[in-house]
Amino acid sequence: IMGVLNLMAILREHAPSSINQVTPTQLAGKHIAIDASVSMYQFLATTQQDTLAMVRGLFLRAVNLIENGITPVYVFDGKPPDIKTETLARRELRRKKAADQIAASANGPDHEEEAIRLARQTMKVTAEHVKACKELFDLMGVAYVQAPEEAEAQCVELVKSGRCYAVGSEDSDVLPFGGAILLKSLTFCSGKTHATQVNLREVLNKLNLGRSELIDLCILLGCDYCDTIKNVGQVTAFQLLKQYRSIEKAITHINQVKSPLPSGYMERVRKARDYFSRPPVKKGGELRLQASAPQKDALIHHLTQKLGMKLGQANERVGSLVKYSIVTEETVARPATVPASKSVPAHNGGEC
């Protein structure tokens, strides 16, 4: 998972008012489009790539959101866009290198710690991971969408079309895609009481950039769709964009002996701009967000017999899911919420 390199660091320094902390009470009654792949990567990283533990973690986190009055709508990645081919090839090489290093260090004195670090570099969300998560969400009655390509772009479309309030993701490329509200660290488990909210309008206002200029800044900083320029880091990229307002003008002021442009750079820049501006998505207003009431007995059986959850925990968590979920006419499992104007403590549903 990459997102945009160092964008959040720039926002913290130059647009701190665009970032604030929000409580579950402030989000109660709202639909949040969640990038499923980011959530899966998080759990795979913390469970040493244990698929069953990953799915259990997603279950616990989704129930916790619903208990707090938040309706999650999970969005799954589709096929990788053509513009991302080179990036994915590099990642695959890094995975292979990490796997080779794991094998080579098998007898080393720090093998266990090093193996864990390297194993995280070999992680990859597979079709089986996706299938397992969709099976879980079907039993839970939680809505999900299959994106044609990038999940973040589809999440943004759900917000633009009014189907969701915000995008829940750790990837800051939600912002150049045009996501009005980005929610990071969207979990209220283990005593956590706030999520981080980033407001795109305030970002553009405080940075004094237009949307197209923000896209250019994100490309200069480094994104999934274009190579970076050697020796152009976050400070230089920000200064160049602020002063010259476009990549075309900015690169004329770069020392191209010390910072040569990658081969085909401007062509990739143009493709990246176009993708951020017009990504392939399913129109939000035309989507039927298919969900249903939780299948209580089948879900408990699935959790205990297939996912290895203890019966007591499964009964308690499924009971809470049933209690806080109702089904609306648009077939989205909408939580039965406490009105957002009332201050209520967050439900902290254990480790998730």
Side-chain angles (χ1 to χ4, degrees):
I1 301 173
M2 179 175 170
V4 178
L5 289 174
N6 299 312
L7 178 58
M8 289 303 296
I10 287 175
L11 298 187
R12 283 190 288 269
E13 181 176 355
H14 298 283
S17 62
S18 68
I19 306 170
N20 64 292
Q21 303 300 304
V22 291
T23 66
T25 299
Q26 292 172 285
L27 299 175
K30 293 179 168 61
H31 290 66
I32 308 297
I34 298 177
D35 185 336
S37 291
V38 170
S39 297
M40 287 189 279
Y41 270 114
Q42 287 177 324
F43 285 113
L44 287 171
T46 57
T47 61
Q48 298 183 39
Q49 304 189 63
D50 183 331
T51 300
L52 299 184
M54 180 265 292
V55 181
R56 289 197 301 269
L58 280 173
F59 166 75
L60 294 172
R61 182 174 292 182
V63 172
N64 178 254
L65 292 174
I66 291 169
E67 285 176 321
N68 281 288
I70 299 165
T71 303
V73 178
Y74 286 90
V75 180
F76 291 91
D77 280 317
K79 72 177 183 68
D82 293 338
I83 193 175
K84 203 173 180 178
T85 301
E86 291 183 22
T87 299
L88 295 176
R90 285 194 295 268
R91 289 179 186 172
E92 196 59 42
L93 284 175
R94 286 199 297 270
R95 289 191 189 100
K96 185 180 185 304
K97 182 179 178 181
D100 291 343
Q101 287 177 298
I102 290 173
S105 64
N107 298 315
D110 301 317
H111 167 63
E112 185 173 348
E113 182 178 338
E114 180 69 359
I116 291 172
R117 183 185 72 81
L118 292 170
R120 290 182 176 179
Q121 297 180 31
T122 68
M123 286 190 308
K124 184 177 182 179
V125 169
T126 67
E128 287 304 309
H129 292 140
V130 172
K131 180 181 177 182
C133 293
K134 289 181 177 179
E135 184 179 10
L136 172 74
F137 293 150
D138 284 335
L139 292 171
M140 292 179 69
V142 168
Y144 61 82
V145 174
Q146 177 62 60
E149 291 190 3
E150 298 282 51
E152 309 100 294
Q154 185 66 61
C155 287
V156 169
E157 168 60 20
L158 289 173
V159 174
K160 287 182 176 180
S161 63
R163 304 298 296 275
C164 291
Y165 164 74
V167 177
S169 178
E170 302 310 307
D171 274 3
S172 53
D173 52 4
V174 166
L175 299 173
F177 274 122
I181 300 290
L182 167 63
L183 293 171
K184 297 170 71 71
S185 302
L186 183 62
T187 174
F188 302 106
C189 305
S190 305
K192 193 171 174 295
T193 59
H194 295 80
T196 298
Q197 179 171 281
V198 185
N199 186 297
L200 177 59
R201 180 179 294 179
E202 189 70 3
V203 167
L204 297 176
N205 180 45
K206 293 302 180 183
L207 296 184
N208 190 28
L209 295 175
R211 166 99 187 282
S212 63
E213 293 165 339
L214 177 66
I215 289 173
D216 271 17
L217 173 61
C218 292
I219 294 170
L220 267 183
L221 288 171
C223 66
D224 287 338
Y225 312 125
C226 189
D227 295 326
T228 55
I229 301 173
K230 184 180 180 180
N231 297 321
V232 176
Q234 70 181 70
V235 173
T236 302
F238 183 63
Q239 291 173 344
L240 287 169
L241 234 297
K242 285 286 288 181
Q243 185 170 357
Y244 300 110
R245 318 305 287 189
S246 75
I247 292 176
E248 283 87 348
K249 292 180 181 178
I251 61 176
T252 65
H253 298 273
I254 293 174
N255 183 334
Q256 294 192 21
V257 174
K258 293 182 178 180
S259 302
L261 298 183
S263 176
Y265 181 70
M266 283 310 304
E267 178 63 22
R268 294 202 70 183
V269 165
R270 285 187 281 271
K271 289 181 178 179
R273 282 174 175 159
D274 185 64
Y275 198 84
F276 276 129
S277 301
R278 291 175 290 277
V281 293
K282 296 175 180 176
K283 295 299 181 184
E286 299 172 2
L287 284 173
R288 182 173 174 82
L289 302 179
Q290 296 179 349
S292 59
Q295 300 175 47
K296 181 178 178 180
D297 292 341
L299 180 56
I300 291 172
H301 181 270
H302 184 76
L303 291 168
T304 56
Q305 301 304 309
K306 291 189 177 182
L307 301 182
M309 184 176 286
K310 292 182 179 179
L311 180 59
Q313 184 185 26
N315 279 326
E316 191 273 330
R317 293 285 76 205
V318 173
S320 189
L321 174 67
V322 171
K323 176 181 178 181
Y324 284 93
S325 293
I326 60 174
V327 180
T328 67
E329 290 182 359
E330 61 174 325
T331 73
V332 176
R334 186 192 302 274
T337 64
V338 176
S341 60
K342 295 184 179 181
S343 179
V344 295
H347 285 270
N348 297 123
E351 296 291 336
C352 65

